[in-house]
Amino acid sequence: MKRLSGRQYDQLMGPDLLSTTREVIAEIQIIQRKDDEMKDFSSAVGNLAATLRNIALVHQDKADLDMALEVYNLTLAARKAQPIRDNPAIAGTAETIGMLQFKKGNHDAAMSAFHEALE
């Protein structure tokens, strides 16, 4: 392997390369910050979905199945809106919707929800 002279090295590793390297590093740092922001946002949406699920559980325990279904559907929509999807939570919510629909005698709606849970 041939060694570069000091001048050749300076030309090769000169200001253009250093400037480009600094720009690439700055872009990587921006991407990392955006990734952190996306994780934070996804976590916040997940927290909202968890709160909605708790509200739905209260309605379910009070035997207000219509309101429980309405809130579970909001929960499902929030879960699906998460940038970083929590697939087990989506499936579990869809399954719960299916069980409540079945309990109400809405068998077609129940089957639809069960299929969604399996996706």
Side-chain angles (χ1 to χ4, degrees), residues 39-54:
K39 288 176 185 173
D40 290 344
F41 177 70
S42 190
S43 178
V45 174
N47 290 339
L48 170 65
T51 301
L52 288 168
R53 180 183 170 275
N54 289 335

Side-chain angles (χ1 to χ4, degrees), residues 27-103:
E27 289 297 319
I28 290 170
Q29 290 170 338
I30 289 169
I31 291 168
Q32 287 172 334
R33 278 194 301 275
K34 287 182 180 180
D35 185 50
D36 289 343
E37 290 170 8
M38 184 63 67
K39 288 176 185 173
D40 290 344
F41 177 70
S42 190
S43 178
V45 174
N47 290 339
L48 170 65
T51 301
L52 288 168
R53 180 183 170 275
N54 289 335
I55 293 168
L57 282 168
V58 170
H59 288 292
Q60 186 177 345
D61 285 347
K62 291 171 59 178
D64 186 354
L65 299 185
D66 290 330
M67 184 57 79
L69 278 168
E70 188 173 331
V71 179
Y72 275 123
N73 280 309
L74 290 173
T75 304
L76 185 60
R79 288 289 183 196
K80 288 180 177 180
Q82 277 185 272
I84 302 169
R85 292 186 96 170
D86 185 351
N87 291 325
I90 291 170
T93 303
E95 179 186 18
T96 301
I97 290 169
M99 290 187 316
L100 291 180
Q101 290 287 13
F102 185 81
K103 195 177 225 181

